[in-house]
Amino acid sequence: MKSDVPLSPTDSSDGCQGQSKGCLLGCMPGRVEGSTKRRLAANARERRRMQGLNTAFDSLRKVVPQWGEDKKLSKYETLQMALSYIMALNRILTEAERYRDGGDWSASQQYEQLQQDCQGYLGLASPNDCDHFISQTFSH
DNA sequence: TAGGCCATCTGGTCCT
DNA sequence: AGGACCAGATGGCCTA
């Protein structure tokens, strides 16, 4: 992972990545100094913006179910999982209200419904995965 | 070593 | 004019 953030105009990664990129510093001394400063400031803002975005992704990862603690979800996987998770929770709420209004709903029925939601929305094959999902859901 | 994922730079566009 | 947002390009790191 590339974590070394260029901090100053003298840094080697100041925008001179490869010859095809515009080399803002040193190529046209003097005349472009103003625009160079603006570009570097824009780069810094963009870095901060992306860091904010990544912080938001980390927050999302914390509330989204994840099987196996070993591998961190990618951004794409995090979004897909969040979508499935929200849909599953929405389904659970809808079903719970329906059963509540229609009479009694035993604990075993609730659990079966949860397992069906798991398999349907999250594409899980194994009941163990469903149990894991359910325990995570109610731990939040 | 190829492919996936990511951070960063950059230029364009839109908005205030 | 300057900031926010976006998408493309690029290169580094990691894993199968």
Side-chain angles (χ1 to χ4, degrees), chain A residues 77-89:
Chain A
E77 289 168 338
T78 301
L79 289 179
Q80 291 293 311
M81 184 56 71
L83 178 62
S84 298
Y85 188 45
I86 290 169
M87 290 177 72
L89 291 178

Side-chain angles (χ1 to χ4, degrees), chain A residues 24 35-49:
Chain A
L24 292 175
S35 62
T36 296
K37 281 184 177 176
R38 258 182 276 127
R39 213 336 113 190
L40 290 177
N43 290 349
R45 282 196 303 274
E46 180 66 6
R47 278 197 301 274
R48 284 195 296 270
R49 193 183 71 83

Side-chain angles (χ1 to χ4, degrees), chain A residues 16 49-50 55 58 63 86 91-92 112 128 139:
Chain A
C16 303
R49 193 183 71 83
M50 294 308 295
T55 300
D58 287 338
V63 298
I86 290 169
R91 170 78 184 278
I92 289 168
E112 282 179 17
N128 286 339
S139 71

